[in-house]
């Protein structure tokens, strides 16, 4: 199945190619006095302004998407480390905490489903996943502590479980795309105007049209990257679940 981001990027490429074709088809129908040097200078000035705004907005979208992607990747690594550390605390607690390690492994699996396979689970299953995490926290609080060491381990484990729950909730909320469609529509509209004007000013030969087509490919590629980075857990550039798998192996040892 073709990703939606690839479909949108292809549509953008076709729109820009349409701008090139439209300008090429009507260029010779425009009266000569609308194609003199003074008119071309005015068009170049206007297009310089629009091109600057389009470049700034497109750069902002790429930077925003990349920043969000890097933030999610860092939080996944941090969460995996907390899973592994909480598992180690439960190991140090001793045999009384063995059932909790199984619960922790279950919570880890639910977290992976909620992030990397969220399209395949129902809202009821998501709610059950959160209840599993709450039950783990309650079980930690109910651990019998007969020594000061066990009390300290229980307190630290409860603190780690709270932080783990906060990270899980934050990541699930952040997995929603943040690029507003109107921004994308405005960028494409500006680019359409730019490609139309550049074709109007360019000499009518295959080399100029090929250069414009390559530019359209580059722009469509940038939009593809923005849309892919906005899907950190499901796109072609998705964050690797390897840190979570490493944490799972640590818990199950």
């Amino acid at each position: 199945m073709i990703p939606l981001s690839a479909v949108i990027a292809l549509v953008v490429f076709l729109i820009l190619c349409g701008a090139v074709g439209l300008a090429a088809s009507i260029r010779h129908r425009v009266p000569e006095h609308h194609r003199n040097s003074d008119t071309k200078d005015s068009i170049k000035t206007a297009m310089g302004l629009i091109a600057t705004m389009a470049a700034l907005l497109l750069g902002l979208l790429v930077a925003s998407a990349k920043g969000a992607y890097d933030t999610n990747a860092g939080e996944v690594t941090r969460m995996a480390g907390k899973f592994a550390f909480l598992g180690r605390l439960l190991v140090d607690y001793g045999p009384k905490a063995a059932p909790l390690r199984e619960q922790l492994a279950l919570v880890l699996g639910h977290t992976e489903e909620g992030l990397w396979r969220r399209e395949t689970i129902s809202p009821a299953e998501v709610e059950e996943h959160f209840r599993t995490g709450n039950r783990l926290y309650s079980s930690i609080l109910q651990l019998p502590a007969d020594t000061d060491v066990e009390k300290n381990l229980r307190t630290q484990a409860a603190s780690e479980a709270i932080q783990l729950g906060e990270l899980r909730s934050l990541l699930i909320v952040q997995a929603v795309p943040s690029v507003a469609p109107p921004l994308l529509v405005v960028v494409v509209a500006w680019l359409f105007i730019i490609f139309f004007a550049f074709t109007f000013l360019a000499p009518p030969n295959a080399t100029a049209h090929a250069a414009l087509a390559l530019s359209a490919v580059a722009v469509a590629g940038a939009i593809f990257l923005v849309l892919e980075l906005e899907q950190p857990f499901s796109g072609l550039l998705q964050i690797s679940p390897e840190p979570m798998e490493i944490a799972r192996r640590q818990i199950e040892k």
Side-chain angles (χ1 to χ4, degrees), residues 4-240:
L4 180 60
S5 55
V7 174
I8 294 176
L10 178 60
V11 170
V12 171
F13 172 74
L14 294 176
I15 289 174
L16 298 182
C17 287
V20 173
L22 179 62
S25 65
I26 69 172
R27 176 170 45 198
H28 298 296
R29 302 177 187 178
V30 177
E32 184 62 32
H33 64 278
H34 286 291
R35 291 188 284 127
N36 57 31
S37 59
D38 292 337
T39 302
K40 289 183 178 180
D41 288 341
S42 298
I43 294 175
K44 289 178 182 178
T45 302
M47 289 307 105
L49 175 61
I50 296 176
T52 300
M53 293 191 300
L56 287 174
L57 186 51
L58 187 57
L60 179 64
L61 290 176
V62 173
S64 176
K66 184 62 168 63
Y69 182 92
D70 290 341
T71 298
N72 283 325
E75 288 173 348
V76 165
T77 302
R78 183 182 171 200
M79 183 171 61
K82 287 192 172 295
F83 268 112
F85 183 64
L86 181 54
R88 177 51 54 190
L89 288 175
L90 296 177
V91 169
D92 292 342
Y93 202 94
K96 288 182 286 188
L100 273 67
R101 292 177 62 196
E102 297 178 2
Q103 289 186 44
L104 182 61
L106 183 62
V107 172
L108 190 151
H110 287 173
T111 302
E112 286 185 296
E113 288 182 4
L115 292 175
W116 280 275
R117 295 180 291 275
R118 61 183 302 166
E119 293 86 1
T120 63
I121 60 177
S122 65
E125 290 176 306
V126 172
E127 185 64 26
E128 178 59 28
H129 291 176
F130 278 105
R131 289 198 187 99
T132 303
N134 293 338
R135 284 194 291 268
L136 173 64
Y137 175 70
S138 299
S139 298
I140 292 174
L141 293 179
Q142 294 171 9
L143 277 172
D146 302 323
T147 65
D148 289 340
V149 172
E150 289 181 340
K151 290 178 181 179
N152 290 334
L153 286 173
R154 183 178 64 185
T155 300
Q156 191 169 6
S159 176
E160 290 295 323
I162 291 175
Q163 296 179 38
L164 196 53
E166 291 175 348
L167 274 175
R168 289 175 64 220
S169 300
L170 182 62
L171 276 169
I172 291 175
V173 171
Q174 287 178 340
V176 179
S178 60
V179 171
L183 284 178
L184 199 57
V185 172
V186 169
V187 170
V188 174
W190 287 351
L191 291 169
F192 181 91
I193 296 172
I194 292 169
F195 274 75
F196 181 91
F198 284 174
T199 305
F200 184 82
L201 298 174
N205 57 55
T207 302
H209 290 169
L212 289 168
L214 289 175
S215 299
V217 170
V219 170
I223 291 177
F224 172 78
L225 287 177
V226 169
L227 297 175
E228 279 296 308
L229 291 172
E230 282 288 301
Q231 306 174 73
F233 298 104
S234 60
L236 297 177
L237 302 177
Q238 66 175 259
I239 296 171
S240 173

